[in-house]
Amino acid sequence: MALCDDDRRFLELLKDRAEMFCVEKARNVKFSAFSDSDILMGMTERGEIFDAYILDIEMQDYSGIEIAEEIRKKSKMACIIFLTSHMKYAVGACGTGIFRYMMKEDLDRELPRILDDLFSHLECLESHYFHVIQNQKRCIKFSHREVVYIYKDQKNAVFVMTDGRSLYERTTLDRLYQALGSDEEIFFLDRGIILNLFHVRSVGEGNVRMDTGHEIPSSPGRIEELKRRIRIYWGKLI
């Protein structure tokens, strides 16, 4: 897990608190601390990706948001926690595929809860938030987080993936939604579209913009329901 903050004193405090939590919970986690955001950005650009990150938003050289955007180019699976002293950045941070948002002043109170949620989430990814497409020709297993959205094409459900692939499964969207519905990030937008809320960047009057650049139209009624769900989903991140 990578920790990045150009305030060296706070970075040492963060690393100390995180390591103490892991000792208390008997979790074997290796923390790498970076006081220079340029070093972490360079590693990210070379494809050296950690399972999880805690990034200060305001830093010299590169901001936490800039590093997060580069991480997302390489991995949709890495968990990103934003750290800052200013609540005004919370709204901007949402919709960039972050796991949580934490105020520095609340470190002692919030860090244990956020790390608990993080490790539980990573265990869920490892255990059951996967989908398998199987037919006579192939068997493909992938994480829900790798799916941007799903649409209907005749008798097939088409998975639009974060890496640009389109995967086909001969099934109905209703049946597929029942299989995926235990994941709170899955949302049935319209009769022909299932979204992954993790990849929603913004919601307009008649369309949804995903973090991959896809724009998906929808009816006013479903857009309002999506906005309600997004407020709940993003609210859990802050």
Side-chain angles (χ1 to χ4, degrees), residues 94-95 129 144 177 180-190 193-200 202-203 208 220-238:
C94 289
Y129 281 155
H144 292 186
Y177 183 70
L180 304 175
S182 61
D183 186 343
E184 65 177 4
E185 295 179 348
I186 301 300
F187 179 78
F188 212 138
L189 179 64
D190 274 315
I193 297 285
I194 296 174
L195 294 181
N196 189 334
L197 298 183
F198 180 77
H199 294 295
V200 172
S202 63
V203 182
V208 186
R222 293 306 292 165
I223 284 289
E224 288 305 310
E225 176 61 17
L226 174 60
K227 288 179 179 179
R228 187 188 71 81
R229 279 286 301 275
I230 281 288
R231 284 194 294 269
I232 295 172
Y233 176 67
W234 284 351
K236 294 179 180 180
L237 307 181
I238 301 172

Side-chain angles (χ1 to χ4, degrees), residues 24-113:
E24 292 172 1
K25 297 291 184 175
R27 290 189 175 275
N28 183 21
V29 180
K30 180 181 178 181
F31 293 96
S32 297
F34 300 87
S35 59
D36 187 341
S37 61
D38 185 56
I39 294 175
L40 182 57
M41 177 62 94
M43 293 177 64
T44 305
E45 290 173 340
R46 294 192 298 273
E48 299 176 46
I49 302 300
F50 292 84
D51 292 329
Y53 297 78
I54 298 181
L55 306 174
D56 186 17
I57 289 182
E58 298 177 277
M59 294 185 289
Q60 295 182 358
D61 295 327
Y62 294 99
S63 70
I65 292 176
E66 289 174 313
I67 294 174
E69 288 173 347
E70 187 64 29
I71 292 167
R72 284 288 167 254
K73 293 177 184 178
K74 303 294 191 299
S75 170
K76 299 297 182 182
M77 300 297 294
C79 294
I80 300 170
I81 298 165
F82 276 143
L83 182 69
T84 192
S85 301
H86 304 288
M87 181 56 78
K88 66 181 180 180
Y89 291 108
V91 175
C94 289
T96 54
I98 69 163
F99 180 75
R100 290 289 186 275
Y101 180 96
M102 181 169 58
M103 297 290 293
K104 285 187 173 182
E105 63 188 39
D106 296 330
L107 178 68
D108 287 337
R109 178 171 59 88
E110 290 295 309
L111 184 64
R113 178 182 65 83

Side-chain angles (χ1 to χ4, degrees), residues 2-17:
L3 314 175
C4 189
D5 192 326
D6 57 5
D7 181 337
R8 291 178 180 270
R9 292 181 61 184
F10 188 86
L11 182 63
E12 291 176 5
L13 177 64
L14 173 62
K15 187 170 184 286
D16 180 64
R17 294 290 190 272

